[in-house]
Amino acid sequence: MSELLILAVSGAILTGVSCSLVGSFVVRMNLSSLGFAMSHAAFAGAALGLVLSLDPLGLAIVFSIGVALLLGPLAEKANLPTNVILGVIFSLMISLGLVFLNLIPQTAMSSVALSILWGSILGMTVTSVLRLLVLSVGIVLIYWLFFKEFQAIMFSRKLAEASGINTRPFYYLILFLTGITVAFSLKLVGGLLVFALMVNPASSAYQFSYDMKKITIVSPIIGVLCCISGIAISFLADLPVGSSIALVSSAIFGAAVVLSPKRKRG
Amino acid sequence: MCPLIELKTVSTVYEGAKVPSIKNITLRIQPGEFITIVGPNGAGKTTLLETINGLLPSEGVITVGDMNLKTDGTRIRKRIGYVPQEFICDSLTPFIVEDVVMMGRYGKIGLFKSPTRKDRYIVQEAMLFLSVDVLRRTPVGKLSGGQLQKVMIARALASEPEMLLLDEPFSNLDMKSRSELAEKLTTLNENGLTILMVIHDRSSIPPACRRIITMEQGKIVSDKHFKVMP
Ligand SMILES: Nc1ncnc2c1ncn2[C@@H]1O[C@H](COP(=O)(O)OP(=O)(O)OP(=O)(O)O)[C@@H](O)[C@H]1O
Ligand SMILES: [Mg+2]
């Protein structure tokens, strides 16, 4: 039991870190709806994997990065009605995912199947924790190496480009990392709500500071907090862990908006 | 003299648009020139500026020195400072003035390098030059339109460009700031900076400007050189 708990907690910490780090870029660049569609695509991919007895994680990555490659170029150009397209993709993915889940025979598999929807604290294995560790370290390293460029792009992609930064590789690098992150986070948080963990901690951090360095440090801290308390709540109250994390992170966001010094007059 | 920038039959069509917004533009800009572009709304002035620094894809040939925009866009943009027509940022924007001006140099500083003391000095000088150094710790989302405009000009200067593209730099400025900016641009031009500036009302064309290009419906309809401003 205690080993399971250690795995769950370390998985939670790493999921919190990676989700909220990519989240700080996704939120600032108005890519939230794209991230939303990607996380549901990951869910559909994982469900298909379970139906076909293929690697769910691999298919989750293929699906979410597929959506990113399909819609990234559209989202790049502001003059297309991207939100409508994203809405369609989002509902398509969630229905595909549910159809796939229905095709899975009602055996012991079904709890695994449902866990990719709701998340589960029991699904963490040594391998999945290690994978998350590599991902988190990778994201931190990439942010650290290219912090300057990411900052300039987050201020204005057009002006960053105008000042001689080749912005496209960075844009797609982030979409790629987002795709991997949502796929890796499915096990713990579940496909329905992994998105909350990406957007809420980062959005909360943005309420408090005008310093991108601080925001980049604070948002994973909030993310970890959400995950740990989400796990505790789910453990104690026997709630799906995805919902607990989403509830905690929404509460934190609500509090952040109310308390935000940025929103005070004067 | 060898031109700094040369456009040969350049046309730009926005995505989804049926007609080009600028058509068959041919233009030579010599180093050290101070050029003003005038013309009615929708004439293609902004389009021309963003075509010159390659933000908009175009047809035709654009060269800067011996570099071709199609193949060397990123390197060319490091040599050109750009101040957009209107820049809006929301009040939560997580950057202060100092950061934003420094960002103007990021392309030049290059990948994997951090700003050095020299970079910070140049940024400081650029802020002083535009009199926005007192605002250095202010979040950019809290600036007035005119203050933000000055910060964007400081940002463009911070990259120590060979050429400056200014899109209606006077639009948000009060009378005093306008004449101050006109003087500052004149100083920069006297020190060798090539300036291409879009302006709405001809009355605020600085005396140092020696060439006025008029655009209408995507074309250059007149291109006049002056010894002394009329
Ligand atoms: N993003 C866009 N997509 C499609 N068409 C555009 C776009 N931006 C501008 N246009 C069109 O291109 C033409 C030239 O626009 P441009 O912005 O270059 O004019 P301008 O001379 O800068 O005008 P203003 O004085 O109002 O700034 C206009 O007819 C406009 O409708
Ligand atoms: Mg314009």
Side-chain angles (χ1 to χ4, degrees):
Chain A
M1 189 65 231
S2 73
E3 192 191 331
L4 263 183
L5 202 64
I6 291 172
L7 283 176
V9 170
S10 35
I13 292 176
L14 294 167
T15 308
V17 168
S18 47
C19 279
S20 36
L21 271 181
V22 293
S24 61
F25 190 89
V26 166
V27 167
R28 181 72 210 149
M29 295 300 289
N30 284 327
L31 293 172
S32 302
S33 35
L34 184 55
F36 197 48
M38 284 167 77
S39 60
H40 293 91
F43 157 67
L48 181 64
L50 291 177
V51 176
L52 302 177
S53 305
L54 291 169
D55 176 25
L57 180 67
L59 278 182
I61 293 177
V62 169
F63 267 58
S64 66
I65 289 184
V67 164
L69 289 180
L70 196 71
L71 296 180
L74 294 183
E76 257 186 306
K77 302 189 182 79
N79 57 350
L80 283 161
T82 330
N83 276 338
V84 177
I85 301 170
L86 283 170
V88 173
I89 295 278
F90 153 69
S91 45
L92 175 71
M93 287 303 164
I94 201 89
S95 18
L96 276 181
L98 292 173
V99 167
F100 294 151
L101 280 193
N102 252 328
L103 294 177
I104 299 170
Q106 296 292 311
T107 56
M109 274 304 278
S110 65
S111 77
V112 178
L114 281 181
S115 79
I116 59 169
L117 202 49
W118 313 126
S120 154
I121 39 176
L122 303 174
M124 280 290 140
T125 59
V126 175
T127 326
S128 53
V129 169
L130 282 180
R131 260 200 298 257
L132 279 165
L133 180 67
V134 171
L135 174 69
S136 308
V137 170
I139 296 175
V140 169
L141 212 66
I142 287 170
Y143 265 49
W144 182 70
L145 276 178
F146 301 113
F147 195 66
K148 222 169 69 266
E149 285 75 20
F150 282 129
Q151 268 192 307
I153 293 169
M154 284 194 255
F155 176 63
S156 157
R157 184 164 172 202
K158 181 172 162 185
L159 285 181
E161 188 75 34
S163 69
I165 295 171
N166 188 6
T167 61
R168 180 161 287 136
F170 292 105
Y171 178 81
Y172 281 99
L173 180 61
I174 284 291
L175 289 188
F176 176 75
L177 289 176
T178 308
I180 307 252
T181 302
V182 292
F184 280 17
S185 308
L186 277 190
K187 246 189 183 161
L188 183 79
V189 194
L192 275 187
L193 293 166
V194 56
F195 179 72
L197 187 55
M198 246 163 61
V199 172
N200 294 353
S203 308
S204 311
Y206 276 118
Q207 301 298 322
F208 284 100
S209 178
Y210 291 105
D211 183 343
M212 206 50 223
K213 276 204 188 83
K214 283 189 195 141
I215 291 170
T216 313
I217 293 169
V218 168
S219 73
I221 293 177
I222 300 179
V224 169
L225 217 84
C226 294
C227 284
I228 300 276
S229 36
I231 283 197
I233 293 173
S234 132
F235 196 69
L236 296 174
D238 197 22
L239 288 172
V241 61
S243 338
S244 319
I245 292 176
L247 285 174
V248 175
S249 66
S250 310
I252 291 182
F253 178 67
V257 170
V258 173
L259 299 175
S260 167
K262 285 187 172 187
R263 291 183 188 273
K264 291 218 171 71
R265 304 218 163 235
Chain B
M1 219 181 346
C2 176
L4 176 63
I5 294 187
E6 185 162 20
L7 283 74
K8 284 186 203 139
T9 58
V10 171
S11 304
T12 303
V13 190
Y14 282 97
E15 209 174 86
K18 291 198 181 67
V19 288
S21 293
I22 56 172
K23 288 171 274 250
N24 285 323
I25 300 276
T26 296
L27 181 66
R28 287 168 147 231
I29 299 172
Q30 304 295 341
E33 275 195 287
F34 192 154
I35 307 172
T36 301
I37 304 176
V38 293
N41 293 134
K45 306 180 295 294
T46 300
T47 309
L48 178 62
L49 291 195
E50 296 195 351
T51 298
I52 289 178
N53 68 3
L55 289 186
L56 292 173
S58 59
E59 278 166 39
V61 182
I62 302 178
T63 48
V64 177
D66 53 5
M67 293 186 203
N68 188 315
L69 188 68
K70 291 243 158 58
T71 50
D72 271 327
T74 304
R75 271 166 70 203
I76 286 174
R77 283 186 279 280
K78 291 178 192 180
R79 301 165 57 185
I80 302 179
Y82 178 51
V83 181
Q85 181 164 5
E86 52 182 333
F87 188 79
I88 307 155
C89 52
D90 64 296
S91 61
L92 287 180
T93 305
F95 299 103
I96 57 174
V97 167
E98 204 168 41
D99 294 341
V100 168
V101 177
M102 180 62 90
M103 281 173 199
R105 280 190 77 74
Y106 282 175
K108 200 152 198 165
I109 293 170
L111 295 175
F112 308 113
K113 295 199 193 92
S114 309
T116 60
R117 183 181 295 167
K118 183 186 161 223
D119 295 312
R120 278 188 286 275
Y121 175 76
I122 291 163
V123 164
Q124 171 69 18
E125 290 293 295
M127 290 191 295
L128 273 173
F129 191 68
L130 268 297
S131 322
V132 291
D133 50 309
V134 287
L135 299 169
R136 70 161 63 79
R137 312 284 315 162
T138 310
V140 283
K142 295 197 164 169
L143 298 175
S144 75
Q147 289 170 331
L148 184 60
Q149 188 103 353
K150 291 179 195 171
V151 168
M152 297 318 272
I153 299 171
R155 174 191 160 116
L157 288 177
S159 67
E160 301 173 291
E162 288 162 53
M163 179 175 187
L164 204 53
L165 303 176
L166 299 160
D167 204 343
E168 311 228 1
F170 297 118
S171 56
N172 283 312
L173 304 185
D174 56 45
M175 283 306 160
K176 180 164 165 285
S177 299
R178 280 185 193 204
S179 58
E180 279 172 8
L181 179 61
E183 271 170 42
K184 284 166 183 168
L185 292 177
T186 304
T187 310
L188 289 168
N189 178 246
E190 282 164 3
N191 291 329
L193 183 67
T194 310
I195 298 177
L196 184 59
M197 172 168 80
V198 168
I199 261 190
H200 241 120
D201 67 309
R202 286 167 177 269
S203 65
S204 46
I205 298 178
C209 169
R210 291 280 183 275
R211 183 175 172 191
I212 299 178
I213 293 174
T214 311
M215 290 187 73
E216 262 167 46
Q217 297 184 335
K219 292 195 175 123
I220 293 179
V221 292
S222 91
D223 184 349
K224 295 203 174 91
H225 293 256
F226 303 91
K227 287 233 166 57
V228 181
M229 271 294 293

